Amino acid sequence: MICDPAFEHVVEAFRDGVGKGGAALAIVADGRLVVDVWHGTRDEAGRLPWERDTAVNVFSVSKAVLATAAHLAAQRGQLDLDAAVTAYWPEFRTDTTVADLLAHRSGLPAIRRKLPAGSLYDWTAMTDALAAEEPWWPPGTRHGYHAVTFGWLVGEVLRRATGREPRELTAELGLSLGWPGPGEPAFVLPLEGAGIERLPAPIAVRAFANPADLIAPGVANTAAWRAAQIPAANGHATARALADLFGRIGNLLTPTLLAEATAPHSDGHDEVLAGPTRFGLGYMLPSGLRPYSPNPRAFGHTGAGGALVFADPDLGIALAYTPNRLVTTPTGPDPRWTPITDALYA
């Protein structure tokens, strides 16, 4: 384990909040790994200790890594963020840009028709359905969290623009879409708190529960989930790998591109989450619904049940938190984050 003495109070707050299951915390400061700690257990029965290289499903944190892959493709000249999606995906019906996809402004957060069982694991079925879908609002005029569709939308554009699968691109950044082995990732414990019944209808229910495989009990522990490529949700990573990526993102992207990617492109009422959210180009920014940092210039992403990664460019820090105990927090920060970030910023 690594814990710079200056961060001991942060690590104490982390350990105090783990509770059932396990978690890891990593912090990079000025390019140096100053915290790399873990605590608790990684299996369903609570017998196997969390280890240094224990990875876990980080759910929507995957979006931030996929977005980074998109920005790297843009930097290499393979992708034009201002281009129409149809420039890369001719079958796509909606008149919108790549930037709109990244900023949750394309109007395609959900598919209206009920999708058959198994669609979640079928890349072609999902991308074909999205290519044919009518937008829920005129693209570019409003925003709404593309909870799961984000991954297929951005992922298919990347696949066509670069000639490589999204899982290849994210693997280079420390995130595995699905789990190829060897070994097993941490077991994802059942969600604590209310779930789908608290979502506003109908758009949010469609966004989070169509296809219905998304809300099957224990879906994240199944072989089908781990074999599939679901770039908005089934990324697996260690806290160390995520903190490392966000700790050096300023060296990966040019200052101009990073500034554009992390500037607010969507800010205000979210048509899906029915509250105030802010997004850059693929990065979630601190907002009323997810105030993960007191600095509005921080950028990163949260994940269902409590995963978190963010960078604070003003302080020169990056933090990643990866739990396997999922806690429902419809609004506000995860209760486990607050003591950690309070101690960090103090």
Side-chain angles (χ1 to χ4, degrees):
M1 295 192 184
I2 295 171
C3 178
D4 184 295
F7 293 83
E8 286 180 355
H9 57 306
V10 182
V11 173
E12 289 172 8
F14 157 72
R15 288 187 175 133
D16 289 345
V18 170
K20 185 180 178 182
L25 174 71
I27 300 172
V28 170
D30 294 327
R32 184 169 64 93
L33 184 66
V34 294
V35 171
D36 183 19
V37 295
W38 50 93
H39 188 69
T41 58
R42 68 181 194 272
D43 64 320
E44 183 177 14
R47 298 191 183 108
L48 298 176
W50 201 281
E51 298 178 338
R52 180 179 185 274
D53 292 322
T54 297
V56 68
N57 200 136
V58 293
F59 298 97
S60 286
V61 166
S62 310
K63 294 182 179 72
V65 182
L66 185 69
T68 303
H71 293 305
L72 287 169
Q75 190 163 273
R76 292 190 293 262
Q78 296 172 303
L79 183 65
D80 181 353
L81 301 183
D82 294 323
V85 173
T86 52
Y88 304 98
W89 189 352
E91 305 89 343
F92 198 73
R93 180 175 179 175
T94 299
D95 181 15
T96 193
T97 66
V98 177
D100 281 339
L101 298 185
L102 287 163
H104 301 264
R105 300 182 69 82
S106 74
L108 296 171
I111 295 168
R112 291 176 176 82
R113 67 179 176 87
K114 185 177 180 180
L115 294 166
S119 298
L120 179 65
Y121 312 115
D122 187 331
W123 184 274
T124 302
M126 294 308 305
T127 54
D128 284 354
L130 285 164
E133 183 63 43
E134 285 279 352
W136 292 70
W137 61 81
T141 63
R142 288 177 273 168
H143 81 278
Y145 188 45
H146 290 39
V148 190
T149 61
F150 179 97
W152 292 299
L153 292 167
V154 176
E156 180 66 6
V157 169
L158 269 175
R159 194 179 70 83
R160 294 184 181 226
T162 67
R164 303 177 68 195
E165 292 296 319
R167 66 177 10 140
E168 295 178 67
L169 300 171
T170 61
E172 294 175 351
L173 300 175
L175 181 106
S176 172
L177 293 178
W179 186 255
E184 290 284 321
F187 187 90
V188 177
L189 300 177
L191 186 69
E192 298 175 7
I196 197 72
E197 65 272 14
R198 295 189 64 160
L199 294 172
I203 188 171
V205 174
R206 294 284 196 282
F208 286 93
N210 185 31
D213 311 85
L214 280 164
I215 55 172
V219 63
N221 298 310
T222 63
W225 178 270
R226 292 176 182 172
Q229 188 172 210
I230 310 168
N234 80 334
H236 293 71
T238 64
R240 182 174 60 257
L242 293 170
D244 172 72
L245 172 62
F246 274 73
R248 59 190 173 91
I249 205 164
N251 296 324
L252 289 174
L253 303 179
T254 66
T256 300
L257 182 54
L258 183 61
E260 179 67 10
T262 59
H265 288 260
S266 298
D267 190 352
H269 179 77
D270 188 300
E271 297 294 325
V272 174
L273 298 180
T277 59
R278 299 168 67 239
F279 293 97
L281 294 179
Y283 300 120
M284 178 182 282
L285 311 179
S287 69
L289 282 185
R290 285 292 178 266
Y292 60 75
S293 167
N295 184 359
R297 281 176 28 87
F299 62 93
H301 220 289
T302 67
L308 171 67
V309 67
F310 73 87
D312 184 324
D314 296 334
L315 293 186
I317 60 169
L319 176 149
Y321 175 75
T322 57
N324 70 337
R325 177 170 66 96
L326 307 187
V327 178
T328 300
T329 50
T331 60
D334 186 292
R336 295 166 293 184
W337 301 341
T338 305
I340 295 170
T341 55
D342 283 353
L344 177 65
Y345 280 90

